[in-house]
Amino acid sequence: MKDAGGKTWDGPHFGEQGGLLTYGTYLHLSDLLDQQVPESDPPAHDELLFITIHQVYELWFKLVLAELTDARDRMLAGETYLPRVRLERCLAIERLLISQVDVIDTMTPQDFLAFRTKLAPASGFQSSQFREIEFLSGLKDPGYVQRFRGLTPAERDQLIRRLDEPSLWDAYLDVLRREGFAVETPEERVASLRTIAHDRAAYGPLWDLAEALVDHDQAWSLWRARHVLMAERQIGTKPGTGGSAGGAYLRSRTDLRFYPELWELRSQL
């Protein structure tokens, strides 16, 4: 069989260059776009917005976890360049996560109330990937695994693995140890970090990697703060759908830091 241009056509070919793989099949778009299923009946208009935003967050969290895990593993292998590159990518994603809250803010409290009761007892508390990121970054909370019952067995097992694994901070200290710096006590770490900070000509890669960790820490903190404002704008002081203290709980976490010693270093320079 020949097409209109006179070329022989011998069967069902799809996509560019006669390939069977298409944009939609490669990305599994049919499956992906079937996952936005409102619980309200009839569907509240803004529930699709709410579901989409949070599913997108989880996709970005998946990528952040992949990048942070690779950065950690490469630091444990003694590398400094590619871990910094991975952290820089995470920073770009995290800036996007912060700005994404602006989309949620287009939803009024009244529109949220139209379907909020359908969410209980589901809660952002139950985002295991969010907790994985915190555990991997160095903010490990073993109590979380026991406190929250909405986790699947696979999620619980993965969080336990993250608790047992080296964190990014552990990996960075391993890099310093390989370079001959003492890091076993807080005093030794402060002295080593000050040496690095005051001689960037000699220790530029180590300083740049520390700054990339601070960037990641700062961006995550800014995301928490932006999330607090969004929650307070939507629900005020009401409890969260999962039974938490809502905005009060979120606000209590805004001062948390992954790498407090890198922040304290500023006072020592």
Side-chain angles (χ1 to χ4, degrees), residues 162-193:
R162 290 296 188 186
L163 287 171
D164 293 338
E165 291 176 357
S167 68
L168 285 161
W169 179 241
D170 295 327
Y172 181 67
L173 294 182
D174 192 64
V175 169
L176 298 189
R177 194 178 291 111
R178 286 170 178 266
E179 295 294 323
F181 288 100
V183 295
E184 303 311 313
T185 68
E187 293 74 20
E188 288 177 343
R189 291 193 290 274
V190 168
S192 295
L193 291 169

mmCIF file of all heavy atoms in Angstrom, residues 162-193:
data_model
loop_
_atom_site.group_PDB
_atom_site.id
_atom_site.type_symbol
_atom_site.label_atom_id
_atom_site.label_comp_id
_atom_site.label_asym_id
_atom_site.label_seq_id
_atom_site.Cartn_x
_atom_site.Cartn_y
_atom_site.Cartn_z
ATOM 1 N N ARG A 162 14.757 4.988 55.422
ATOM 2 C CA ARG A 162 15.342 6.331 55.401
ATOM 3 C C ARG A 162 15.895 6.714 56.772
ATOM 4 O O ARG A 162 16.911 7.414 56.861
ATOM 5 C CB ARG A 162 14.294 7.349 54.959
ATOM 6 C CG ARG A 162 13.887 7.255 53.501
ATOM 7 C CD ARG A 162 15.030 7.561 52.553
ATOM 8 N NE ARG A 162 14.571 7.640 51.163
ATOM 9 C CZ ARG A 162 15.370 7.778 50.125
ATOM 10 N NH1 ARG A 162 16.676 7.855 50.293
ATOM 11 N NH2 ARG A 162 14.869 7.843 48.893
ATOM 12 N N LEU A 163 15.230 6.287 57.825
ATOM 13 C CA LEU A 163 15.733 6.571 59.167
ATOM 14 C C LEU A 163 17.072 5.890 59.415
ATOM 15 O O LEU A 163 17.941 6.433 60.104
ATOM 16 C CB LEU A 163 14.721 6.112 60.223
ATOM 17 C CG LEU A 163 13.451 6.947 60.381
ATOM 18 C CD1 LEU A 163 12.463 6.234 61.302
ATOM 19 C CD2 LEU A 163 13.761 8.341 60.928
ATOM 20 N N ASP A 164 17.232 4.706 58.843
ATOM 21 C CA ASP A 164 18.454 3.934 59.065
ATOM 22 C C ASP A 164 19.601 4.342 58.134
ATOM 23 O O ASP A 164 20.763 4.070 58.437
ATOM 24 C CB ASP A 164 18.165 2.437 58.875
ATOM 25 C CG ASP A 164 17.230 1.879 59.943
ATOM 26 O OD1 ASP A 164 17.143 2.486 61.024
ATOM 27 O OD2 ASP A 164 16.575 0.853 59.682
ATOM 28 N N GLU A 165 19.262 4.965 57.013
ATOM 29 C CA GLU A 165 20.280 5.347 56.034
ATOM 30 C C GLU A 165 21.047 6.587 56.479
ATOM 31 O O GLU A 165 20.547 7.392 57.265
ATOM 32 C CB GLU A 165 19.622 5.676 54.686
ATOM 33 C CG GLU A 165 19.027 4.506 53.960
ATOM 34 C CD GLU A 165 18.314 4.955 52.690
ATOM 35 O OE1 GLU A 165 18.251 6.193 52.437
ATOM 36 O OE2 GLU A 165 17.814 4.092 51.961
ATOM 37 N N PRO A 166 22.260 6.787 55.925
ATOM 38 C CA PRO A 166 22.951 8.068 56.139
ATOM 39 C C PRO A 166 22.142 9.209 55.525
ATOM 40 O O PRO A 166 21.507 9.047 54.477
ATOM 41 C CB PRO A 166 24.281 7.889 55.400
ATOM 42 C CG PRO A 166 24.448 6.416 55.255
ATOM 43 C CD PRO A 166 23.070 5.849 55.134
ATOM 44 N N SER A 167 22.150 10.350 56.182
ATOM 45 C CA SER A 167 21.483 11.541 55.652
ATOM 46 C C SER A 167 22.459 12.326 54.777
ATOM 47 O O SER A 167 23.645 11.987 54.678
ATOM 48 C CB SER A 167 21.008 12.428 56.800
ATOM 49 O OG SER A 167 22.133 12.977 57.487
ATOM 50 N N LEU A 168 21.968 13.386 54.173
ATOM 51 C CA LEU A 168 22.847 14.278 53.409
ATOM 52 C C LEU A 168 23.918 14.879 54.305
ATOM 53 O O LEU A 168 25.065 15.070 53.880
ATOM 54 C CB LEU A 168 22.021 15.384 52.750
ATOM 55 C CG LEU A 168 21.205 14.963 51.523
ATOM 56 C CD1 LEU A 168 20.102 15.976 51.268
ATOM 57 C CD2 LEU A 168 22.101 14.840 50.301
ATOM 58 N N TRP A 169 23.555 15.189 55.535
ATOM 59 C CA TRP A 169 24.525 15.759 56.474
ATOM 60 C C TRP A 169 25.602 14.720 56.809
ATOM 61 O O TRP A 169 26.792 15.042 56.832
ATOM 62 C CB TRP A 169 23.814 16.223 57.742
ATOM 63 C CG TRP A 169 24.707 16.815 58.790
ATOM 64 C CD1 TRP A 169 24.901 16.363 60.064
ATOM 65 C CD2 TRP A 169 25.528 17.989 58.672
ATOM 66 N NE1 TRP A 169 25.789 17.163 60.741
ATOM 67 C CE2 TRP A 169 26.184 18.177 59.908
ATOM 68 C CE3 TRP A 169 25.768 18.889 57.636
ATOM 69 C CZ2 TRP A 169 27.065 19.227 60.134
ATOM 70 C CZ3 TRP A 169 26.654 19.946 57.871
ATOM 71 C CH2 TRP A 169 27.283 20.103 59.108
ATOM 72 N N ASP A 170 25.196 13.492 57.044
ATOM 73 C CA ASP A 170 26.170 12.428 57.285
ATOM 74 C C ASP A 170 27.134 12.313 56.105
ATOM 75 O O ASP A 170 28.346 12.136 56.289
ATOM 76 C CB ASP A 170 25.460 11.080 57.477
ATOM 77 C CG ASP A 170 24.581 11.045 58.715
ATOM 78 O OD1 ASP A 170 24.926 11.692 59.716
ATOM 79 O OD2 ASP A 170 23.530 10.359 58.668
ATOM 80 N N ALA A 171 26.578 12.405 54.903
ATOM 81 C CA ALA A 171 27.410 12.268 53.709
ATOM 82 C C ALA A 171 28.376 13.442 53.573
ATOM 83 O O ALA A 171 29.540 13.259 53.178
ATOM 84 C CB ALA A 171 26.524 12.156 52.467
ATOM 85 N N TYR A 172 27.897 14.648 53.894
ATOM 86 C CA TYR A 172 28.788 15.811 53.805
ATOM 87 C C TYR A 172 29.932 15.686 54.816
ATOM 88 O O TYR A 172 31.096 15.981 54.490
ATOM 89 C CB TYR A 172 28.009 17.097 54.051
ATOM 90 C CG TYR A 172 28.871 18.332 53.958
ATOM 91 C CD1 TYR A 172 29.441 18.735 52.753
ATOM 92 C CD2 TYR A 172 29.139 19.101 55.090
ATOM 93 C CE1 TYR A 172 30.253 19.852 52.674
ATOM 94 C CE2 TYR A 172 29.941 20.230 55.022
ATOM 95 C CZ TYR A 172 30.504 20.600 53.809
ATOM 96 O OH TYR A 172 31.297 21.719 53.734
ATOM 97 N N LEU A 173 29.610 15.238 56.017
ATOM 98 C CA LEU A 173 30.668 15.054 57.007
ATOM 99 C C LEU A 173 31.655 13.984 56.550
ATOM 100 O O LEU A 173 32.859 14.088 56.827
ATOM 101 C CB LEU A 173 30.056 14.666 58.360
ATOM 102 C CG LEU A 173 29.203 15.733 59.047
ATOM 103 C CD1 LEU A 173 28.707 15.226 60.392
ATOM 104 C CD2 LEU A 173 29.971 17.042 59.214
ATOM 105 N N ASP A 174 31.171 12.992 55.833
ATOM 106 C CA ASP A 174 32.071 11.967 55.301
ATOM 107 C C ASP A 174 33.027 12.573 54.274
ATOM 108 O O ASP A 174 34.206 12.208 54.225
ATOM 109 C CB ASP A 174 31.248 10.844 54.667
ATOM 110 C CG ASP A 174 32.092 9.627 54.353
ATOM 111 O OD1 ASP A 174 32.612 9.003 55.296
ATOM 112 O OD2 ASP A 174 32.257 9.300 53.150
ATOM 113 N N VAL A 175 32.514 13.512 53.459
ATOM 114 C CA VAL A 175 33.380 14.218 52.510
ATOM 115 C C VAL A 175 34.478 14.962 53.252
ATOM 116 O O VAL A 175 35.667 14.907 52.882
ATOM 117 C CB VAL A 175 32.561 15.185 51.634
ATOM 118 C CG1 VAL A 175 33.490 16.109 50.840
ATOM 119 C CG2 VAL A 175 31.667 14.415 50.674
ATOM 120 N N LEU A 176 34.087 15.681 54.304
ATOM 121 C CA LEU A 176 35.081 16.433 55.083
ATOM 122 C C LEU A 176 36.102 15.495 55.717
ATOM 123 O O LEU A 176 37.312 15.791 55.740
ATOM 124 C CB LEU A 176 34.388 17.257 56.166
ATOM 125 C CG LEU A 176 33.403 18.337 55.718
ATOM 126 C CD1 LEU A 176 32.994 19.204 56.911
ATOM 127 C CD2 LEU A 176 33.996 19.201 54.615
ATOM 128 N N ARG A 177 35.626 14.377 56.208
ATOM 129 C CA ARG A 177 36.521 13.401 56.836
ATOM 130 C C ARG A 177 37.552 12.899 55.820
ATOM 131 O O ARG A 177 38.745 12.758 56.144
ATOM 132 C CB ARG A 177 35.683 12.251 57.390
ATOM 133 C CG ARG A 177 36.415 11.336 58.364
ATOM 134 C CD ARG A 177 35.480 10.247 58.888
ATOM 135 N NE ARG A 177 34.450 10.800 59.767
ATOM 136 C CZ ARG A 177 33.152 10.860 59.472
ATOM 137 N NH1 ARG A 177 32.716 10.418 58.292
ATOM 138 N NH2 ARG A 177 32.291 11.342 60.322
ATOM 139 N N ARG A 178 37.105 12.643 54.604
ATOM 140 C CA ARG A 178 38.011 12.175 53.553
ATOM 141 C C ARG A 178 39.078 13.219 53.229
ATOM 142 O O ARG A 178 40.194 12.882 52.795
ATOM 143 C CB ARG A 178 37.232 11.851 52.280
ATOM 144 C CG ARG A 178 36.410 10.572 52.324
ATOM 145 C CD ARG A 178 35.500 10.490 51.117
ATOM 146 N NE ARG A 178 34.711 9.276 51.062
ATOM 147 C CZ ARG A 178 35.049 8.173 50.419
ATOM 148 N NH1 ARG A 178 36.193 8.125 49.742
ATOM 149 N NH2 ARG A 178 34.259 7.109 50.418
ATOM 150 N N GLU A 179 38.694 14.500 53.406
ATOM 151 C CA GLU A 179 39.636 15.586 53.117
ATOM 152 C C GLU A 179 40.543 15.903 54.303
ATOM 153 O O GLU A 179 41.317 16.857 54.264
ATOM 154 C CB GLU A 179 38.869 16.846 52.716
ATOM 155 C CG GLU A 179 38.103 16.711 51.413
ATOM 156 C CD GLU A 179 39.026 16.528 50.218
ATOM 157 O OE1 GLU A 179 40.094 17.158 50.206
ATOM 158 O OE2 GLU A 179 38.670 15.744 49.306
ATOM 159 N N GLY A 180 40.437 15.112 55.370
ATOM 160 C CA GLY A 180 41.333 15.266 56.508
ATOM 161 C C GLY A 180 40.824 16.152 57.623
ATOM 162 O O GLY A 180 41.566 16.464 58.564
ATOM 163 N N PHE A 181 39.573 16.559 57.555
ATOM 164 C CA PHE A 181 39.009 17.415 58.600
ATOM 165 C C PHE A 181 38.425 16.583 59.730
ATOM 166 O O PHE A 181 37.827 15.523 59.495
ATOM 167 C CB PHE A 181 37.915 18.327 58.025
ATOM 168 C CG PHE A 181 38.444 19.421 57.145
ATOM 169 C CD1 PHE A 181 38.416 19.302 55.760
ATOM 170 C CD2 PHE A 181 38.986 20.563 57.709
ATOM 171 C CE1 PHE A 181 38.908 20.313 54.952
ATOM 172 C CE2 PHE A 181 39.496 21.588 56.894
ATOM 173 C CZ PHE A 181 39.453 21.455 55.522
ATOM 174 N N ALA A 182 38.579 17.082 60.941
ATOM 175 C CA ALA A 182 37.986 16.432 62.117
ATOM 176 C C ALA A 182 36.516 16.831 62.220
ATOM 177 O O ALA A 182 36.186 18.027 62.164
ATOM 178 C CB ALA A 182 38.737 16.846 63.380
ATOM 179 N N VAL A 183 35.634 15.860 62.378
ATOM 180 C CA VAL A 183 34.193 16.147 62.387
ATOM 181 C C VAL A 183 33.446 15.333 63.443
ATOM 182 O O VAL A 183 32.216 15.251 63.416
ATOM 183 C CB VAL A 183 33.561 15.879 61.001
ATOM 184 C CG1 VAL A 183 34.114 16.831 59.957
ATOM 185 C CG2 VAL A 183 33.779 14.419 60.576
ATOM 186 N N GLU A 184 34.155 14.749 64.389
ATOM 187 C CA GLU A 184 33.505 13.833 65.332
ATOM 188 C C GLU A 184 32.720 14.552 66.421
ATOM 189 O O GLU A 184 31.758 13.993 66.956
ATOM 190 C CB GLU A 184 34.558 12.913 65.966
ATOM 191 C CG GLU A 184 35.353 12.109 64.944
ATOM 192 C CD GLU A 184 34.466 11.408 63.924
ATOM 193 O OE1 GLU A 184 33.480 10.780 64.332
ATOM 194 O OE2 GLU A 184 34.759 11.504 62.709
ATOM 195 N N THR A 185 33.099 15.763 66.775
ATOM 196 C CA THR A 185 32.386 16.504 67.820
ATOM 197 C C THR A 185 31.910 17.839 67.249
ATOM 198 O O THR A 185 32.441 18.321 66.237
ATOM 199 C CB THR A 185 33.293 16.778 69.024
ATOM 200 O OG1 THR A 185 34.327 17.707 68.624
ATOM 201 C CG2 THR A 185 33.932 15.492 69.535
ATOM 202 N N PRO A 186 30.911 18.466 67.899
ATOM 203 C CA PRO A 186 30.471 19.781 67.415
ATOM 204 C C PRO A 186 31.605 20.794 67.356
ATOM 205 O O PRO A 186 31.678 21.590 66.415
ATOM 206 C CB PRO A 186 29.414 20.181 68.451
ATOM 207 C CG PRO A 186 28.890 18.887 68.981
ATOM 208 C CD PRO A 186 30.065 17.959 69.004
ATOM 209 N N GLU A 187 32.482 20.753 68.335
ATOM 210 C CA GLU A 187 33.595 21.703 68.362
ATOM 211 C C GLU A 187 34.540 21.470 67.181
ATOM 212 O O GLU A 187 35.012 22.427 66.547
ATOM 213 C CB GLU A 187 34.369 21.576 69.684
ATOM 214 C CG GLU A 187 33.596 21.997 70.924
ATOM 215 C CD GLU A 187 32.539 20.979 71.346
ATOM 216 O OE1 GLU A 187 32.648 19.792 70.936
ATOM 217 O OE2 GLU A 187 31.610 21.367 72.078
ATOM 218 N N GLU A 188 34.806 20.210 66.884
ATOM 219 C CA GLU A 188 35.675 19.892 65.746
ATOM 220 C C GLU A 188 35.021 20.327 64.436
ATOM 221 O O GLU A 188 35.692 20.855 63.545
ATOM 222 C CB GLU A 188 35.969 18.392 65.704
ATOM 223 C CG GLU A 188 36.915 17.912 66.788
ATOM 224 C CD GLU A 188 37.133 16.406 66.755
ATOM 225 O OE1 GLU A 188 36.318 15.696 66.108
ATOM 226 O OE2 GLU A 188 38.111 15.948 67.371
ATOM 227 N N ARG A 189 33.727 20.124 64.328
ATOM 228 C CA ARG A 189 33.039 20.495 63.094
ATOM 229 C C ARG A 189 33.049 22.002 62.894
ATOM 230 O O ARG A 189 33.269 22.486 61.772
ATOM 231 C CB ARG A 189 31.608 19.948 63.095
ATOM 232 C CG ARG A 189 31.556 18.437 62.987
ATOM 233 C CD ARG A 189 30.166 17.932 62.669
ATOM 234 N NE ARG A 189 29.235 18.100 63.764
ATOM 235 C CZ ARG A 189 29.066 17.226 64.761
ATOM 236 N NH1 ARG A 189 29.797 16.107 64.800
ATOM 237 N NH2 ARG A 189 28.174 17.444 65.712
ATOM 238 N N VAL A 190 32.825 22.752 63.966
ATOM 239 C CA VAL A 190 32.855 24.207 63.856
ATOM 240 C C VAL A 190 34.236 24.678 63.405
ATOM 241 O O VAL A 190 34.364 25.521 62.511
ATOM 242 C CB VAL A 190 32.479 24.872 65.199
ATOM 243 C CG1 VAL A 190 32.809 26.369 65.165
ATOM 244 C CG2 VAL A 190 30.998 24.674 65.496
ATOM 245 N N ALA A 191 35.269 24.123 64.009
ATOM 246 C CA ALA A 191 36.633 24.510 63.646
ATOM 247 C C ALA A 191 36.924 24.162 62.184
ATOM 248 O O ALA A 191 37.529 24.959 61.443
ATOM 249 C CB ALA A 191 37.635 23.821 64.573
ATOM 250 N N SER A 192 36.507 22.989 61.748
ATOM 251 C CA SER A 192 36.745 22.573 60.366
ATOM 252 C C SER A 192 35.979 23.457 59.390
ATOM 253 O O SER A 192 36.516 23.888 58.354
ATOM 254 C CB SER A 192 36.325 21.109 60.183
ATOM 255 O OG SER A 192 37.140 20.248 60.954
ATOM 256 N N LEU A 193 34.729 23.743 59.709
ATOM 257 C CA LEU A 193 33.928 24.590 58.827
ATOM 258 C C LEU A 193 34.468 26.011 58.756
ATOM 259 O O LEU A 193 34.433 26.653 57.702
ATOM 260 C CB LEU A 193 32.471 24.593 59.304
ATOM 261 C CG LEU A 193 31.719 23.270 59.115
ATOM 262 C CD1 LEU A 193 30.388 23.303 59.861
ATOM 263 C CD2 LEU A 193 31.481 22.983 57.633
#
